[in-house]
Amino acid sequence: MRQGELTLADVTATAAIGAALAQVLRAGDVVTLTGGLGAGKTSLARGVLAALGLVEEAPSPTFAIVQPYDPPEVRLPVLHIDLYRLDDPAEVEELGLDEARLDAALLIEWPERAGSGRWPDALALDMAMAPNGARRLTWRAPDAWDGRWPR
């Protein structure tokens, strides 16, 4: 398990990290995005999706909970998931994410709503606002991400 930290000066830098992540993302990968409201989780996910070929800006999946993206819209099937509105970790089972993961990468905002330890092999990204308006990105990369993250 490797860990690290980056400072992201602005939304452009956040999107650039998302684009770098898109270059190494594969079907079966899970990326968890934690952080408070407005910390930049959706901006990072939008950077991933844009780098995968999405032309329009990806909406936040807060109300849809799961927003799927499939080829030819993107080069890799991705589910952008926002668990913020879940009240019980058991509700995650109803979403079918384990089955979906067989063919797609999962970008999961608010993963803590699914209960601790649900995706132990996930690239865990945590975003926080810095006093100067920048974002602090801390990450934890399990062995499955060796050679892929950090880039």
Side-chain angles (χ1 to χ4, degrees), residues 2 24 26 143-151:
R2 290 168 288 107
V24 298
R26 319 175 181 153
D143 293 345
W145 287 85
D146 276 353
R148 294 194 293 150
W149 189 268
R151 290 204 51 172

Side-chain angles (χ1 to χ4, degrees), residues 59-92:
S60 172
T62 300
F63 294 102
I65 299 177
V66 177
Q67 182 66 49
Y69 297 93
D70 293 301
E73 185 177 38
V74 289
R75 69 171 173 77
L76 169 75
V78 175
L79 297 179
H80 184 191
I81 303 148
D82 187 328
L83 301 179
Y84 184 76
R85 296 185 332 129
L86 294 188
D87 294 321
D88 184 333
E91 293 176 79
V92 172

